[in-house]
Amino acid sequence: DDQGFRHNPLLKKVSVPDGVKVIPDSMFFDCSALETIILPPSLEKIGKYAFADCTGLKRLELHHLTNLRLIDRSAFDGCSMLEEVLLPNNLKTLGSTAFCNCIRLRSCSTEQGLLPENIGDRCFLNCPFDPNVQNGSPPVVGDTSLKGDVMVHE
């Protein structure tokens, strides 16, 4: 159905088959027991709210997804147990509020320790992670806060 697996409290592991290019908007929204996601190298986009409020996720290893270009708005918003994200080197954009309210997120970067060149508004709002410290110099970001009371302007 068009709601995917939304609000499924029993789903613990997701393995998306190779060939899939897009995780649709809200596909796994609020799957609170979800702990493991295995995504295919063919993936190009993670849609809006695709994994939002999946409070069981602790670590995301996306570095092998060489075709992934976009993690869309609020894709992982509210994943309150998420601590670490390893991004692919070719990722171009983190959408606005992509990791907002990930209150335990301490690391989000590529294997080289970098972030994508485009980071949307409030991408890391209410996260202990500070993208400016991570990169050493600010990436291109939106014009509103990334983290609570810190304002970053272009």
Side-chain angles (χ1 to χ4, degrees), residues 5-8 11 28-34 52-56:
F5 296 91
R6 291 175 59 103
H7 309 293
N8 184 328
L11 190 64
F28 299 100
F29 177 80
D30 191 31
C31 290
S32 57
L34 187 60
D53 290 335
C54 289
T55 54

Side-chain angles (χ1 to χ4, degrees), residues 70-74 93-99 118-121 123:
L70 170 64
I71 296 177
D72 214 338
R73 178 177 40 135
S74 298
T93 303
L94 287 175
S96 62
T97 62
F99 291 98
N118 299 305
I119 298 177
D121 296 347
C123 186

Side-chain angles (χ1 to χ4, degrees), residues 5 8 11-17 23-24 27-41 43 45-47 49-65 68 71 75-77 79 82 84-88 98-99:
F5 296 91
N8 184 328
L11 190 64
K12 290 188 174 194
K13 181 178 180 180
V14 168
S15 184
V16 178
I23 302 293
M27 178 60 79
F28 299 100
F29 177 80
D30 191 31
C31 290
S32 57
L34 187 60
E35 296 175 352
T36 305
I37 56 174
I38 300 169
L39 301 173
L43 195 66
K45 175 185 172 184
I46 297 175
Y49 301 95
F51 294 96
D53 290 335
C54 289
T55 54
L57 289 174
K58 292 183 180 176
R59 179 178 165 91
L60 289 175
E61 294 186 16
L62 308 175
H63 59 285
H64 67 286
L65 303 177
L68 186 63
I71 296 177
F76 294 95
D77 184 352
C79 292
L82 190 59
E84 183 178 8
V85 178
L86 191 53
L87 299 169
F99 291 98

Side-chain angles (χ1 to χ4, degrees), residues 119 121-122 130-132 137-154:
I119 298 177
D121 296 347
R122 300 180 196 95
D130 184 344
N132 296 316
S137 62
V140 176
V141 297
D143 63 358
T144 57
S145 71
L146 288 172
K147 181 182 173 203
D149 59 351
V150 176
M151 294 295 288
V152 178
H153 297 278
E154 293 182 346

